[in-house]
Amino acid sequence: MTDINDLIKNWWKQILFVVLLSLLVVGTITFIKPRQYLSVATAVPASSFAADRSKIFSDNIQDLYSTLGTADDLDRIVGTGNLDTVYLAVAAQFNLFDHYKMAEKSDVALPKAAAILKKNSRVMKSEYGELKVKVWDTDKNLAPQLANMIMDKLAIIHQQLQSAGNEAALKGLVTGKVKLQGQLDSTAITADTKNALAVQLQQYEKLIGEYQLMVDSKPPVLLVVENARASAWPDRPRRMQVLIATAVLSFFFAFLAALLMESRKKTK
């Protein structure tokens, strides 16, 4: 069995060379890469109770509903955060193709800028059931603006999706009311039929008022807990940690290589 002290004594120059070469290569790469600042926006899900007409206008309230939703309500929002739609809108709003110094035509530059923004962003659900939007950028003042705007875009998209059902129901009720009004104005109906149509018309008007209130109120989907702020220190690349990890890993690699070659020498 090879003695470790003898191994290091015989191979220390080669081991040191591998470690220094690795540090030189990795250090050069990490110092060439621009430093990026991290900004994080945090929100919690709003309760779906505020968007449910049947619960708000129910005559029998059997349960007390929280103003906050559950962590499961964030799954769809996190899924939307993986699409290109949000990043295209944000990239266009902030002219990120100029910020990323792209020389291509605008129709090509915008998707590329959105792809870079998406690569430098994370939309995730935390272990505490919060929605986190993280953005890294070389401009510490731009990073929080991008994170807050991504959060706003996600909230608007899902707010519109939430209201779509109420808007469709409202449109159908208005159409039905017009038809009922036309039948009610007809002279070819009996008094009993007219009374029945009048009752239906009142029901339609009540429902239209309720759905119109839901559409106009536009209940929020997300409640922002903390807007993103500018960071005082860059977050990546973490040069010191990378160099320490490189030194440790390169040492073990060189040590194992030396051990292997020393073993081969003794078997010959």
Side-chain angles (χ1 to χ4, degrees):
M1 181 176 179
T2 304
D3 185 74
I4 295 178
N5 292 329
D6 292 338
L7 179 68
I8 294 177
K9 182 179 179 181
N10 295 332
W11 293 88
W12 72 270
K13 292 182 180 179
Q14 293 86 339
I15 294 174
L16 181 62
F17 174 77
V18 172
V19 172
L20 292 178
L21 181 62
S22 300
L23 287 173
L24 178 63
V25 173
V26 174
T28 302
I29 294 174
T30 54
F31 277 89
I32 288 176
K33 291 182 67 176
R35 309 204 78 173
Q36 294 182 324
Y37 297 84
L38 171 64
S39 289
V40 184
T42 305
V44 293
S47 175
S48 58
F49 166 75
D52 193 336
R53 184 202 64 84
S54 63
K55 292 178 180 178
I56 290 179
F57 295 101
S58 175
D59 294 330
N60 299 317
I61 300 179
Q62 299 176 353
D63 300 305
L64 294 177
Y65 297 95
S66 171
T67 57
L68 300 179
T70 64
D72 294 335
D73 295 330
L74 295 177
D75 291 337
R76 290 187 298 273
I77 300 176
V78 172
T80 305
N82 293 322
L83 303 177
D84 295 334
T85 306
V86 174
Y87 304 99
L88 286 168
V90 175
Q93 184 168 344
F94 283 89
N95 296 324
L96 290 183
F97 37 83
D98 290 333
H99 173 62
Y100 296 140
K101 297 180 174 59
M102 295 181 173
E104 296 92 341
K105 295 180 181 179
S106 59
D107 57 340
V108 178
L110 180 59
K112 286 189 175 182
I116 294 174
L117 175 61
K118 184 178 180 180
K119 181 181 177 182
N120 293 332
S121 304
R122 297 288 184 277
V123 178
M124 56 184 290
K125 182 172 64 174
S126 75
E127 57 184 300
Y128 300 106
E130 299 170 322
L131 182 69
K132 298 279 188 180
V133 175
K134 300 182 177 182
V135 175
W136 287 265
D137 197 85
T138 55
D139 187 340
K140 67 178 182 179
N141 295 316
L142 180 60
Q145 297 179 53
L146 295 175
N148 291 330
M149 185 54 63
I150 290 174
M151 182 72 80
D152 290 343
K153 294 293 184 184
L154 290 171
I156 291 171
I157 289 173
H158 283 271
Q159 187 181 56
Q160 291 173 344
L161 291 174
Q162 185 174 260
S163 298
N166 290 331
E167 291 174 358
L170 178 61
K171 183 177 179 181
L173 287 169
V174 171
T175 302
K177 177 186 173 182
V178 171
K179 291 181 179 179
L180 279 176
Q181 189 66 57
Q183 295 175 11
L184 192 60
D185 294 339
S186 175
T187 57
I189 59 174
T190 63
D192 291 339
T193 303
K194 182 172 289 190
N195 291 333
L197 290 174
V199 172
Q200 291 183 33
L201 188 61
Q202 289 179 353
Q203 293 174 345
Y204 267 74
E205 289 175 346
K206 178 184 177 183
L207 290 172
I208 287 173
E210 293 176 356
Y211 275 103
Q212 187 65 59
L213 177 62
M214 298 303 301
V215 170
D216 293 341
S217 63
K218 295 187 182 301
V221 176
L222 293 172
L223 302 175
V224 176
V225 176
E226 185 177 55
N227 286 314
R229 303 188 304 270
S231 175
W233 304 98
D235 183 70
R236 65 185 190 188
R238 299 181 178 180
R239 292 169 178 168
M240 187 57 64
Q241 292 93 325
V242 170
L243 291 177
I244 292 173
T246 300
V248 173
L249 292 175
S250 60
F251 172 79
F252 278 110
F253 172 78
F255 179 81
L256 292 175
L259 181 63
L260 179 61
M261 288 186 284
E262 189 70 20
S263 299
R264 286 183 177 181
K265 275 186 179 181
K266 291 186 176 182
T267 55
K268 289 183 180 179

